[in-house]
Amino acid sequence: MKNNSFDVNVELNIETLQSGELTRTKISELGKYTQIGKAIYLRFNESLDNNDSASILVKITDDGEIHVKRVAQSTNLASLLYFTHHQHNNGHLQTEYGTMPLDTFTKDSKVEIVSNPLSGKINIDYDLIYDNNVIGNYKFRLIFSA
């Protein structure tokens, strides 16, 4: 099984529409690209206030499903969301008070990766759903390059 790992520059832009309010988040960090078999992993940190950080792992499975895991130990929050083109998926948010089920509906997803030179784009447009209610619309745009 082939295992390739490379340092990459990661730029993540997230656009969130919740209750009619639009917010934009931009993260630019150094990260690690790893390929194990046909699965691809991108790991990087998100800088938070007070010199804290959250670790983010994006996994692209060999069948094209995208998993996004975010862990912020300082706030006791961890989320794991799954994205499959045009499908509903079950995920969750782990808090200090317990686990909240969070579902996603992936309206659109696209992954483009070029191996030489190593670079890629991961785009996900999705609805975040709690208790059968859409609580937000998201646009996730990740670009990386070695």
Side-chain angles (χ1 to χ4, degrees):
M1 188 182 297
K2 200 169 156 183
N3 180 346
N4 293 318
S5 192
F6 302 95
D7 291 332
V8 291
N9 293 308
V10 176
E11 185 173 304
L12 174 59
N13 291 290
I14 300 173
E15 198 173 275
T16 307
L17 182 61
Q18 285 183 312
S19 305
E21 187 174 321
L22 183 66
T23 28
R24 290 185 174 92
T25 304
K26 182 175 184 173
I27 301 167
S28 293
E29 298 284 347
L30 289 175
K32 182 75 75 181
Y33 169 99
T34 305
Q35 184 168 349
I36 301 173
K38 292 184 178 178
I40 293 168
Y41 300 84
L42 277 167
R43 296 176 192 276
F44 57 97
N45 289 325
E46 172 188 0
S47 296
L48 303 173
D49 295 334
N50 303 324
N51 293 323
D52 284 333
S53 68
S55 63
I56 299 176
L57 171 66
V58 179
K59 176 183 178 183
I60 302 149
T61 66
D62 54 357
D63 61 359
E65 187 173 85
I66 303 165
H67 306 175
V68 178
K69 182 177 184 179
R70 181 181 182 275
V71 178
Q73 300 220 340
S74 63
T75 58
N76 293 319
L77 291 176
S79 61
L80 181 56
L81 301 176
Y82 300 93
F83 305 97
T84 309
H85 192 69
H86 287 164
Q87 291 187 28
H88 286 271
N89 285 293
N90 299 4
H92 64 269
L93 174 66
Q94 182 72 43
T95 73
E96 60 187 299
Y97 305 107
T99 302
M100 263 178 52
L102 286 177
D103 299 331
T104 57
F105 174 69
T106 308
K107 296 187 268 191
D108 193 25
S109 64
K110 188 174 187 179
V111 176
E112 297 174 11
I113 297 177
V114 177
S115 55
N116 197 8
L118 177 63
S119 64
K121 294 179 189 175
I122 302 167
N123 293 346
I124 311 168
D125 294 351
Y126 67 98
D127 292 335
L128 190 61
I129 302 162
Y130 174 70
D131 197 25
N132 293 318
N133 295 303
V134 175
I135 58 172
N137 311 105
Y138 291 78
K139 291 184 186 298
F140 178 101
R141 303 288 183 266
L142 189 148
I143 300 169
F144 67 91
S145 60

